Amino acid sequence: MRISPLPPLNSLVVFESAARHLSFTRAADELNVTQGAISRQIRHLEDYLGRKLFIRDKRSLSLTSTGMEYYDSIQQSLLLVAGATGNILQWQGDQQVTVVTTHAMASFWLLPRFNAFQELHPDIDVRILAVDSLKDIRHNEFDIALFFCHEAPADLTATPLFAENVFPVCSPGYLEKNPHIQHTEDMLKGTLLTLEVGEEWLSWQAWFRACNIEYKADAGPRMNINNYLLVIQSALNGQGLALGWENLVDDYLASGLLIKPVSTSVETTSQFLMLEPEQTARPKQGAEYFRKWLLSLI
């Protein structure tokens, strides 16, 4: 929907400065224009509004009641615009890097390793944006993105980081309560913690198919969850069996908080990719350092 009515936008900046200083001369100095230019912009704005904004006499300048009310609103609006602009410009420096990835990748893989990068490059500021889907990166400006996918979007440069092995995991307590789970097909009678996403995460149905086992949705109880962090948390709570992605759950396996109830594993055809916008200028130094650090982890 079109935003209307909008006054001449240049005139708003001039009006805010003149109203703040109550002086056309000081506004002209601040904006680096002539006093005549200030007068013309104010007159243009008043003509558009059909109201006087200033009371002019030979020795002073003051706001009309309309001018005072308008000034309060315009100044607040310009402050919001300036704040939003500043937030963007803050992350345009050579030593500032924006990384976009999923909540799961950020929580289970990137953040546990991030201290190593900070120790190597303490002068580089990294902003990590967690999103739910690869589609969401279109809404964010970024230097590097980390996603699991079969093919990268056509307008991004992709560098493979690693493929994935996917296998069942559960808590030791869950396996103790379900001693009948000894073979891969036995898991069909367990509580399968199912991730409800439509992208390239491997489903239980696809996983069993890769193991040449017929998947029957009604064979046992299911718990459907739309977030992988919650899937793993449910597994840690002893609520069922989850599909573990090797590079995401390796710390939990090493600590013994999660275990593999069976040894069966499926290697995915998709990979975790490092995605970068096509460069039109020299890459940021910070982004180059972050890129090299990621590749050193492979």
Side-chain angles (χ1 to χ4, degrees), residues 218-230:
D218 58 351
R222 305 287 183 265
M223 182 184 293
N224 298 318
I225 305 172
N226 70 346
N227 182 291
Y228 190 69
L229 274 72
L230 298 180

Side-chain angles (χ1 to χ4, degrees), residues 30-48:
E30 180 176 272
L31 300 176
N32 198 29
V33 296
T34 65
Q35 184 176 339
I38 297 293
S39 297
R40 285 191 295 273
Q41 288 286 351
I42 296 299
R43 192 181 309 115
H44 187 30
L45 181 59
E46 289 178 327
D47 289 344
Y48 178 86

Side-chain angles (χ1 to χ4, degrees), residues 174-280:
Y174 181 81
L175 194 58
E176 288 179 10
K177 293 179 181 179
N178 295 271
H180 63 279
I181 299 178
Q182 299 181 11
H183 305 286
T184 305
E185 55 270 20
D186 296 334
M187 294 190 303
L188 285 168
K189 296 182 180 180
T191 300
L192 300 182
L193 304 173
T194 302
L195 180 63
E196 284 188 333
V197 292
E199 296 190 358
E200 301 198 35
W201 292 82
L202 199 66
S203 67
W204 275 112
Q205 184 175 6
W207 190 86
F208 279 114
R209 188 188 311 119
C211 297
N212 295 315
I213 296 174
E214 183 182 0
Y215 174 83
K216 296 179 180 179
D218 58 351
R222 305 287 183 265
M223 182 184 293
N224 298 318
I225 305 172
N226 70 346
N227 182 291
Y228 190 69
L229 274 72
L230 298 180
V231 169
I232 295 302
Q233 187 60 56
S234 296
L236 291 167
N237 293 342
Q239 295 171 315
L241 299 153
L243 283 175
W245 299 65
E246 183 176 25
N247 286 283
L248 302 185
V249 301
D250 52 355
D251 287 343
Y252 290 112
L253 293 173
S255 68
L257 292 173
L258 291 177
I259 59 174
K260 298 178 182 180
V262 297
S263 60
T264 311
S265 179
V266 172
E267 184 173 356
T268 64
T269 56
S270 299
Q271 302 181 77
F272 277 102
L273 302 178
M274 176 173 61
L275 306 173
E276 300 168 271
E278 295 179 348
Q279 296 291 343
T280 57

